[in-house]
Amino acid sequence: MTEVALGNAGAAIRKATDTGRKAFIGYLPAGYPTYDGAIDGVKALVDGGADVIELGLPYSDPVMDGITIQRATETALAGGLRTRDVLSTVEKIAAYSDVPVLVMTYWNPIERYGVDRFAADFAGAGGAGLITPDLIPDEGAEWIAAADKHDLDKVFLVSPSSTDARIKMTTAACRGFVYATAVMGVTGARDTPSELAAPLVARTHAVTGLPVGVGLGISNGDQAAGVAAFADAVIVGAALVKALGDGGPAGVRALAEDLAEGVRREPGAPGDR
């Protein structure tokens, strides 16, 4: 068992579990549908009950994202969003709430900005850490050093195809929580969560005391309740992006409240599945 480094997001997740429920992590991309619209959407997410915010940094080649998030990030980039705008978005959200704000980003934009420079500016804006889906710890020494220097969370991913040795190595490099991708393939809401999720969480819990969050494919409170039965945190992205596009901040808040109710539901309660 590796030493637990709860960091910013991990402390928020642990605070939720200490009260007898699981945590809800909500994703929205910066700059979608507009710079101000994204900030309003995230504020609605906070008001709806999110325990941790995952803010997407739009990138021109989002190969791991499904069509909903791809189109949202295309809109953000077409609107002229730049990395400095993402940092100012973080600053405004951090001023609104003490809910930790982690940025989900492909690695290329961080390299272009400058790894230590980004870490310093991000920490100065009130950011809590990064989720880096295309960076593995073996190749992340520069980021790990910068994150440690600025007390930022380092969230790496494990997947159903990860070996036990890979899961142990990856979790040892994490601070905050471990991100378990519950399906093989790109992101996007699905009718039913993957059956691969629970075994992956069990394998991850076997080697770390860090919280484990499950993402990909969750779109309503019933699904959130099902995942909360075995994971420490439920991560929702594409469904919230769709809610923002269809119904604005009010749509985000309504879905966030449903998801937050799901992670608070007693296992086996009516509506659970």
Side-chain angles (χ1 to χ4, degrees):
M1 187 77 69
T2 56
E3 183 180 354
V4 174
L6 282 178
N8 302 299
I13 296 170
R14 183 62 56 82
K15 181 180 178 181
T17 55
D18 285 348
T19 63
R21 65 176 178 85
K22 302 300 178 64
F24 161 40
I25 301 175
Y27 166 96
L28 285 174
Y32 174 77
T34 62
Y35 174 82
D36 289 332
I39 294 170
D40 290 342
V42 174
K43 288 179 177 178
L45 189 50
V46 170
D47 294 342
D51 297 289
V52 176
I53 297 299
E54 181 184 332
L55 183 71
L57 192 157
Y59 178 52
S60 58
D61 190 22
V63 295
M64 298 175 70
D65 290 315
I67 190 66
T68 300
I69 293 177
Q70 283 190 26
R71 287 177 174 168
T73 56
E74 287 170 2
T75 298
L77 293 172
L81 190 85
R82 298 292 182 264
T83 300
R84 61 178 178 275
D85 300 316
V86 178
L87 292 169
S88 68
T89 298
V90 170
E91 188 170 23
K92 287 180 170 61
I93 298 167
Y96 181 75
S97 167
D98 60 0
V99 172
V101 182
L102 276 68
V103 161
M104 163 76 94
T105 178
Y106 293 91
W107 191 238
N108 186 273
I110 306 303
E111 281 198 317
R112 286 206 310 264
Y113 192 94
V115 176
D116 194 66
R117 178 187 169 213
F118 181 88
D121 290 353
F122 181 58
L130 291 189
I131 301 167
T132 50
D134 62 347
L135 181 70
I136 57 176
D138 325 44
E139 300 172 356
E142 188 176 6
W143 163 239
I144 290 170
D148 290 345
K149 179 180 176 182
H150 296 283
D151 294 324
L152 296 170
D153 290 354
K154 307 164 289 183
V155 179
F156 296 103
L157 277 64
V158 297
S159 74
S161 64
S162 300
T163 65
D164 290 345
R166 168 60 61 175
I167 291 173
K168 185 175 183 179
M169 185 277 290
T170 299
T171 58
C174 287
R175 179 167 54 238
F177 68 97
V178 182
Y179 195 123
T181 59
V183 297
M184 305 295 288
V186 299
T187 64
R190 290 167 168 80
D191 292 336
T192 57
S194 168
E195 294 181 352
L196 300 173
L200 175 61
V201 171
R203 292 169 61 209
T204 306
H205 276 154
V207 297
T208 183
L210 278 172
V212 180
V214 169
L216 300 185
I218 300 159
S219 59
N220 58 54
D222 286 347
Q223 290 180 346
V227 172
F230 57 84
D232 303 296
V234 177
I235 305 168
V236 182
L240 287 163
V241 176
K242 185 175 186 305
L244 181 59
D246 292 346
V252 170
R253 176 153 183 167
L255 178 56
E257 289 176 345
D258 182 40
L259 295 163
E261 184 278 327
V263 303
R264 287 165 170 77
R265 198 178 299 168
E266 290 288 335
D272 196 4
R273 64 180 185 185

Coordinates of all heavy atoms in Angstrom, one line a residue, residues 39 48 75 88-89 110 123 148 157 174 177 186-187 195 202 205 215 224 231 238 266:
I39 N -18.2 30.2 -17.2 CA -18.0 30.6 -15.8 C -19.4 30.4 -15.1 O -19.5 29.8 -14.0 CB -17.5 32.0 -15.6 CG1 -16.0 32.0 -16.1 CG2 -17.6 32.4 -14.2 CD1 -15.4 33.4 -16.2
G48 N -25.2 23.3 -7.7 CA -25.9 22.1 -7.8 C -25.4 21.0 -6.9 O -26.0 19.9 -6.8
T75 N -16.0 25.0 -30.2 CA -16.6 26.3 -30.1 C -15.8 27.2 -29.2 O -15.7 28.4 -29.6 CB -18.0 26.0 -29.4 OG1 -18.8 25.2 -30.2 CG2 -18.7 27.4 -29.1
S88 N -7.7 32.6 -16.1 CA -8.5 33.6 -15.5 C -9.9 33.0 -15.1 O -10.5 33.4 -14.2 CB -8.7 34.8 -16.4 OG -9.4 34.4 -17.6
T89 N -10.3 32.0 -15.9 CA -11.6 31.3 -15.5 C -11.4 30.6 -14.2 O -12.3 30.7 -13.3 CB -11.9 30.2 -16.6 OG1 -12.2 30.9 -17.8 CG2 -13.2 29.5 -16.2
I110 N 0.3 22.4 -22.1 CA 1.1 22.8 -21.0 C 2.6 22.9 -21.3 O 3.3 23.8 -20.9 CB 0.9 21.7 -19.9 CG1 -0.6 21.5 -19.5 CG2 1.7 22.0 -18.6 CD1 -1.3 22.7 -19.1
A123 N -1.3 27.8 -9.8 CA -1.4 27.9 -8.4 C -1.8 29.3 -7.9 O -2.6 29.5 -7.0 CB -0.1 27.4 -7.8
D148 N 4.7 19.3 -7.3 CA 5.2 19.2 -5.9 C 5.7 20.5 -5.4 O 5.4 20.9 -4.2 CB 6.3 18.1 -5.8 CG 5.9 16.7 -6.0 OD1 4.6 16.5 -6.0 OD2 6.7 15.8 -6.3
L157 N -4.3 8.5 -14.8 CA -5.4 7.6 -15.1 C -5.0 6.2 -15.1 O -3.9 5.8 -15.5 CB -6.0 7.9 -16.5 CG -7.0 9.1 -16.6 CD1 -6.3 10.4 -16.2 CD2 -7.6 9.2 -18.0
C174 N 0.3 9.6 -7.9 CA -0.9 10.5 -7.8 C -0.9 11.2 -6.5 O -0.4 10.8 -5.5 CB -2.2 9.7 -7.9 SG -2.5 9.0 -9.6
F177 N -6.6 12.2 -6.2 CA -7.3 11.0 -6.3 C -6.8 10.2 -7.5 O -5.9 10.7 -8.3 CB -8.8 11.2 -6.4 CG -9.3 11.9 -7.7 CD1 -9.8 11.3 -8.8 CD2 -9.2 13.3 -7.8 CE1 -10.2 11.9 -9.9 CE2 -9.7 14.0 -8.9 CZ -10.2 13.3 -10.0
V186 N -13.5 6.6 -26.2 CA -13.6 8.0 -26.0 C -14.7 8.3 -25.0 O -15.5 7.4 -24.7 CB -13.9 8.7 -27.3 CG1 -12.7 8.5 -28.3 CG2 -15.2 8.3 -27.9
T187 N -14.7 9.5 -24.5 CA -15.7 9.9 -23.5 C -17.1 10.1 -24.2 O -17.2 10.1 -25.4 CB -15.3 11.3 -22.9 OG1 -15.3 12.3 -23.9 CG2 -14.0 11.2 -22.3
E195 N -19.4 -2.4 -17.2 CA -19.2 -3.5 -16.2 C -17.8 -3.6 -15.8 O -17.5 -4.4 -14.9 CB -19.8 -4.8 -16.7 CG -21.3 -4.7 -16.9 CD -21.9 -6.0 -17.4 OE1 -21.1 -6.9 -17.8 OE2 -23.1 -6.2 -17.5
A202 N -11.7 -2.0 -7.6 CA -11.2 -3.0 -6.6 C -9.7 -3.2 -6.7 O -9.0 -3.3 -5.7 CB -12.0 -4.3 -6.7
H205 N -8.1 0.0 -5.4 CA -8.1 0.1 -4.0 C -7.1 -0.9 -3.3 O -6.7 -0.6 -2.2 CB -9.5 -0.2 -3.5 CG -10.5 1.0 -3.5 ND1 -11.8 0.8 -3.6 CD2 -10.2 2.3 -3.5 CE1 -12.4 2.0 -3.6 NE2 -11.4 2.9 -3.6
G215 N -15.0 7.7 -14.1 CA -15.5 8.6 -15.1 C -15.9 7.9 -16.4 O -15.5 6.7 -16.6
A224 N -25.3 7.5 -11.3 CA -24.4 8.0 -10.3 C -24.5 7.1 -9.1 O -23.5 6.8 -8.4 CB -24.6 9.4 -10.0
A231 N -17.4 3.1 -5.9 CA -16.3 4.1 -6.2 C -16.4 5.2 -5.1 O -17.4 5.4 -4.5 CB -16.4 4.7 -7.6
A238 N -19.7 14.6 -20.3 CA -20.4 14.9 -21.5 C -21.9 15.3 -21.2 O -22.4 16.1 -21.9 CB -20.3 13.7 -22.4
E266 N -28.7 6.0 -0.5 CA -28.3 4.7 0.2 C -28.3 3.6 -0.8 O -29.2 3.5 -1.6 CB -29.3 4.4 1.3 CG -29.2 5.3 2.5 CD -28.0 5.1 3.4 OE1 -27.4 4.0 3.3 OE2 -27.5 6.1 4.0

